[in-house]
């Protein structure tokens, strides 16, 4: 973080990632509460040598013996009785100077999940903090338990549920899943094995200590009935809602607890993935062999965002997976924070799914193309179509990730050609008129017509039907 100054004052404001301390009498104990809070949240900066005045400004007081303060910082973070884990690198503690007065700057990164919770004074309960705006707060036992779950290397979805038996698997869901898998790979050697053996092979069931086969958590989530899933995961909920008209609370909903369907993850995926294309004005057809017809990269990106939420959700968290659809906007939210830095997720190539067995199950039916490519592919598809950049947010209360996909042209995007903008709109709405394309893109109607002719001549675009009621087919 860059410090900003005006005269004798620091202009930065205390908030979610910035804390100021005087430290005129040495390092105050509250610094280590902030250290724990930043490390357990999203990282932040502590500056020693700033004093808050009565009017709320930060006066640069400075520190006389900065070397002593810096040594004390390193001695404390390396003392396990004071701080559970040192997350600082050598260049995270610096000395700065303003108007002849010295400050000590401590940049605290977000801790790796394996190191959390970061706590102080050798007390996990009572010594673990998180950041909420400009304040540190002491974490509750459920929050600490959540961090402990995240720190484990053994995936939770592989756990054997010995209080459940194979009768808790919904056989109709399993049959649909196996049909999908056969259509994707008719020669797969698992296609012919009995159901229970198949469940064991894909990680949906394991033998327990009693020697009998039981569902794993992944198996129960993927193929179980909602009323049985909630016996194990009390806050389990899958919710898809469409808000397509102003003033209407909602028009269409798929929710796991309504008793109208199984409520499991696989049936939610198949229902919602089909509905997403229809609700966004880009419906696709399902052929007799269950394969999609006229599937576009936008359809794929929307399904990718749905799968990301389902395989990365912390199902033992305090909320469920929620998909909200509004005109030109899809919001996807799941419980649990990112397990790798957001930047790494956006760049692709590395994945740390919270539920790797669920991810494997989706991969077997062709729903996941390559591990670590999900968010990267979504970002690239949105960029290619000239849409506004997806908005990715993390929140702590409760821990959630929210991805907002806006299907509107970004007026700042100049790198996208006029032809690609036209194709992007027609892929999103295959019934769109030339006049509406011109209005949405700002391209004159005559230029749109000329571009459409070029695209049709090159085979990039086809038209079925007449001027009214016809449809565009983007190649």
């Amino acid at each position: 973080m860059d410090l900003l100054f005006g005269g004798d004052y620091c202009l930065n404001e205390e908030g979610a990632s910035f804390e100021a301390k005087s430290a005129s009498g040495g390092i105050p104990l509250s610094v280590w509460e902030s250290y724990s809070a930043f490390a357990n949240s999203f990282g932040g900066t502590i500056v020693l040598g700033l004093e808050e005045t009565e009017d709320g400004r930060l006066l640069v007081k400075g520190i006389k013996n900065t070397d002593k303060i810096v040594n004390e910082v390193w001695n404390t973070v390396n003392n396990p009785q004071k701080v559970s884990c040192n997350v600082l690198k050598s260049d995270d503690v610096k000395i700065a100077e303003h108007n002849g007065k010295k400050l000590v700057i401590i940049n605290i990164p977000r801790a790796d999940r394996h190191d959390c919770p970061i706590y102080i004074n050798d007390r996990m309960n009572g010594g673990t903090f998180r950041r909420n705006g400009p304040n540190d707060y002491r974490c509750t036992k459920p929050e600490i338990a959540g961090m402990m779950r995240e720190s484990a290397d053994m995936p939770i979805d592989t756990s054997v549920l010995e209080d459940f038996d194979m009768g808790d698997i919904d056989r109709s869901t399993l049959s649909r899943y196996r049909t999908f898998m056969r259509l994707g790979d008719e020669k797969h050697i698992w296609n012919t094995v009995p159901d229970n053996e198949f469940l064991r092979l894909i990680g949906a069931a394991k033998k327990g200590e009693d020697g009998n086969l039981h569902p794993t958590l992944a198996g129960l989530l993927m193929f179980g009935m909602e009323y049985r899933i909630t016996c194990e995961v009390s806050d389990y909920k899958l919710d898809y809602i469409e808000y397509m008209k102003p003033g209407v609370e909602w028009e269409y909903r798929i929710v796991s607890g309504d008793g109208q369907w199984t409520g499991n993850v696989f049936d939610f995926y198949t229902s919602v993935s089909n509905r997403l294309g229809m609700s966004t004005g880009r419906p696709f057809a399902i052929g007799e062999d269950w394969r999609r017809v006229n599937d576009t990269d936008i359809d794929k990106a929307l399904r990718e965002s749905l799968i990301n939420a389902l395989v990365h959700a912390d199902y033992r968290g305090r909320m469920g997976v929620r998909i909200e659809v509004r005109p030109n906007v899809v919001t996807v939210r799941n419980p649990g924070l990112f397990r790798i830095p957001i930047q790494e997720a956006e760049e692709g190539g590395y994945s740390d799914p919270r539920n790797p067995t669920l991810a494997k199950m989706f991969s077997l039916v062709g729903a996941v193309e390559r591990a670590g490519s999900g968010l990267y592919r979504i970002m690239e598809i949105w960029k290619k179509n000239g849409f506004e950049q997806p908005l990715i947010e993390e929140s702590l209360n409760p821990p959630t990730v929210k991805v907002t996909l806006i299907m509107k042209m970004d007026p700042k995007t100049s790198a996208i050609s006029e032809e690609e903008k036209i194709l992007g709109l027609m892929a999103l709405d295959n019934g769109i008129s030339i006049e509406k394309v011109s209005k949405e893109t700002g391209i004159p109607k005559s230029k749109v017509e000329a571009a459409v002719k070029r695209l049709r001549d090159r085979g990039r675009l086809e038209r079925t039907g007449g001027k009214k009621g016809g449809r565009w087919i983007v190649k």
Side-chain angles (χ1 to χ4, degrees):
M1 151 176 271
D2 295 327
L3 294 182
L4 305 175
F5 297 96
D8 293 330
Y9 295 90
C10 175
L11 303 181
N12 300 74
E13 294 184 1
E14 290 186 300
S17 61
F18 181 69
E19 177 74 20
K21 301 288 185 183
S22 171
S24 57
I27 299 178
L29 295 178
S30 60
V31 162
W32 303 114
E33 295 179 2
S34 296
Y35 171 91
S36 167
F38 284 140
N40 289 325
S41 303
F42 306 121
T45 299
I46 301 173
V47 178
L48 305 180
L50 300 176
E51 184 175 282
E52 186 174 359
T53 60
E54 291 183 0
D55 59 2
R57 293 191 293 173
L58 297 176
L59 178 65
V60 180
K61 293 284 288 185
I63 297 175
K64 293 182 179 179
N65 194 343
T66 54
D67 290 339
K68 179 181 178 182
I69 293 293
V70 169
N71 285 335
E72 187 178 345
V73 169
W74 287 116
N75 287 337
T76 303
V77 296
N78 288 310
N79 183 347
Q81 292 183 328
K82 295 290 186 181
V83 175
S84 63
C85 180
N86 175 19
V87 300
L88 302 180
K89 300 186 294 294
S90 59
D91 57 352
D92 285 333
V93 182
K94 301 177 181 178
I95 297 173
E97 188 171 330
H98 177 70
N99 288 346
K101 296 178 179 178
K102 292 184 177 182
L103 304 170
V104 173
I105 302 172
I106 309 171
N107 292 311
I108 302 163
R110 178 177 179 170
D112 185 278
R113 69 176 178 87
H114 296 93
D115 296 326
C116 290
I118 303 296
Y119 55 92
I120 60 174
N121 299 327
D122 209 19
R123 294 174 56 217
M124 184 179 295
N125 290 322
T128 302
F129 294 82
R130 268 183 168 164
R131 193 77 172 174
N132 184 17
N135 302 308
D136 305 322
Y137 72 91
R138 188 172 279 107
C139 291
T140 63
K141 288 184 178 180
E143 285 180 295
I144 295 171
M147 286 186 263
M148 292 292 290
R149 283 200 309 272
E150 291 294 282
S151 68
D153 283 323
M154 179 63 70
I156 294 176
D157 73 340
T158 63
S159 58
V160 184
L161 306 181
E162 301 215 25
D163 292 334
F164 296 77
D165 58 39
M166 301 310 292
D168 291 308
I169 297 295
D170 181 69
R171 298 294 159 163
S172 61
T173 302
L174 178 59
S175 177
R176 286 189 290 275
Y177 178 88
R178 299 197 70 173
T179 298
F180 268 70
M181 184 168 168
R182 279 192 293 270
L183 290 171
D185 184 358
E186 61 183 16
K187 295 182 180 180
H188 199 291
I189 60 173
W190 292 350
N191 288 337
T192 58
V193 302
D195 280 352
N196 282 1
E197 176 64 7
F198 176 79
L199 290 166
R200 187 189 68 80
L201 290 168
I202 67 173
K206 287 183 179 179
K207 285 188 177 181
E209 293 184 0
D210 59 2
N212 296 320
L213 203 61
H214 298 271
T216 61
L217 178 58
L220 185 68
L221 291 168
M222 196 73 160
F223 305 116
M225 294 291 290
E226 184 268 347
Y227 74 93
R228 289 296 286 156
I229 296 173
T230 54
C231 291
E232 177 66 24
V233 185
S234 58
D235 291 321
Y236 173 83
K237 188 176 183 180
L238 305 175
D239 201 359
Y240 170 85
I241 313 177
E242 294 175 10
Y243 304 91
M244 302 306 289
K245 293 180 181 178
V248 178
E249 184 178 357
W250 53 267
E251 288 187 293
Y252 184 85
R253 190 173 191 181
I254 303 171
V255 62
S256 58
D258 65 0
Q260 302 297 312
W261 57 292
T262 61
N264 58 47
V265 167
F266 184 69
D267 286 344
F268 183 75
Y269 164 73
T270 54
S271 297
V272 171
S273 61
N274 288 340
R275 188 74 193 181
L276 276 173
M278 296 171 61
S279 63
T280 55
R282 179 62 184 85
F284 50 80
I286 300 292
E288 292 182 359
D289 62 352
W290 289 79
R291 297 182 188 278
R292 294 176 176 86
V293 180
N294 295 336
D295 204 8
T296 72
D297 57 358
I298 297 171
D299 297 322
K300 294 174 183 176
L302 292 174
R303 290 198 303 274
E304 193 90 44
S305 66
L306 169 61
I307 291 174
N308 277 353
L310 294 173
V311 302
H312 291 288
D314 179 7
Y315 289 100
R316 296 193 185 278
R318 289 190 288 137
M319 56 166 283
V321 174
R322 185 182 178 95
I323 318 293
E324 296 180 2
V325 178
R326 292 175 171 82
N328 295 322
V329 179
V330 175
T331 302
V332 182
R333 187 184 69 180
N334 65 264
L337 301 175
F338 274 98
R339 288 156 67 93
I340 61 175
I342 292 180
Q343 184 178 356
E344 289 187 17
E346 291 176 350
E347 292 173 352
Y350 174 67
S351 180
D352 186 12
R354 188 170 276 108
N355 302 291
T357 308
L358 283 181
K360 173 187 174 182
M361 292 177 187
F362 279 116
S363 178
L364 287 170
V365 293
V368 177
E369 293 195 6
R370 183 167 61 86
S373 66
L375 189 56
Y376 170 77
R377 277 167 39 83
I378 294 168
M379 302 288 284
E380 286 298 300
I381 289 171
W382 248 237
K383 181 179 177 181
K384 171 187 172 184
N385 285 278
F387 295 156
E388 294 182 22
Q389 183 175 356
L391 179 63
I392 304 169
E393 303 169 270
E394 286 185 284
S395 302
L396 283 173
N397 295 302
T400 56
V401 169
K402 184 170 78 170
V403 178
T404 303
L405 302 171
I406 304 170
M407 288 169 283
K408 293 173 65 177
M409 289 297 179
D410 185 350
K412 302 184 294 298
T413 303
S414 58
I416 304 297
S417 70
E418 290 182 349
E419 290 185 357
E420 290 297 332
K421 289 180 180 180
I422 292 168
L423 287 173
L425 275 180
M426 289 178 170
L428 177 63
D429 180 0
N430 63 2
I432 195 169
S433 66
I434 295 292
E435 290 78 7
K436 190 172 181 181
V437 170
S438 175
K439 182 179 179 180
E440 289 282 335
T441 61
I443 303 170
K445 181 182 175 182
S446 60
K447 294 188 70 175
V448 173
E449 290 173 334
V452 167
K453 184 179 184 305
R454 291 194 303 271
L455 290 166
R456 295 179 73 169
D457 290 343
R458 297 205 307 267
R460 293 291 310 279
L461 189 64
E462 290 183 9
R463 177 79 178 180
T464 61
K467 187 173 182 181
K468 290 186 178 180
R471 292 289 182 266
W472 300 106
I473 300 174
V474 177
K475 297 293 185 180

